[in-house]
Amino acid sequence: VQLQASGGGLVQAGDSLRLDCTASGGTVSSYATGWFRQAPGKEREFVAALSSSGDVTYYADSVKGRFTISRDNAKNTVYLQMNSLKPQDTAVYYCAAVTTLQDVVVLAYPGGYHYWGQGTQVTVSS
């Protein structure tokens, strides 16, 4: 499966953005998916994950209550809705996918994913 992330941009603190991750060459509902981010000089960090069943989610503490991961099977797309953005959310955001033996599994570490999108820049100004 190939993943294409889009939707990044420059916003002010408190604004919202939605990132899209569109899959091709595979059906996104067959994969557990996740969003990660990487700021300059920092390691890639987990943001949010969604099981292939579509009903199990998991979030980093830093984004819980502000970000929502979801999926539209008809559009073969996974979304990351980001509200109440903060300057510390500034990073390149990546979507990722992996097949799992159980459809309720979510993964929060980058090494668990096999497929990655190219990344989209999110910049939040104060």
Side-chain angles (χ1 to χ4, degrees), residues 78-100:
V78 177
Y79 303 104
L80 184 68
Q81 178 66 44
M82 305 185 294
N83 298 330
S84 303
L85 282 161
K86 304 175 181 180
Q88 51 263 48
D89 294 319
T90 295
V92 177
Y93 283 72
Y94 299 88
C95 59
V98 65
T99 55
T100 56

Side-chain angles (χ1 to χ4, degrees), residues 4-77:
Q4 178 76 34
S6 61
L10 172 63
V11 297
Q12 293 188 329
D15 285 350
S16 298
L17 267 182
R18 191 189 78 181
L19 304 184
D20 296 1
C21 178
T22 301
S24 59
T27 303
V28 72
S29 59
S30 299
Y31 299 86
T33 52
W35 286 96
F36 292 79
R37 65 188 182 187
Q38 189 166 16
K42 294 190 175 181
E43 304 247 331
R44 190 167 297 190
E45 67 170 355
F46 168 74
V47 176
L50 178 68
S51 65
S52 61
S53 65
D55 57 0
V56 180
T57 58
Y58 184 64
Y59 297 93
D61 288 343
S62 58
V63 306
K64 201 173 295 182
R66 300 188 298 123
F67 291 12
T68 303
I69 187 170
S70 63
R71 188 175 75 203
D72 186 332
N73 292 339
K75 296 183 178 181
N76 217 26
T77 299

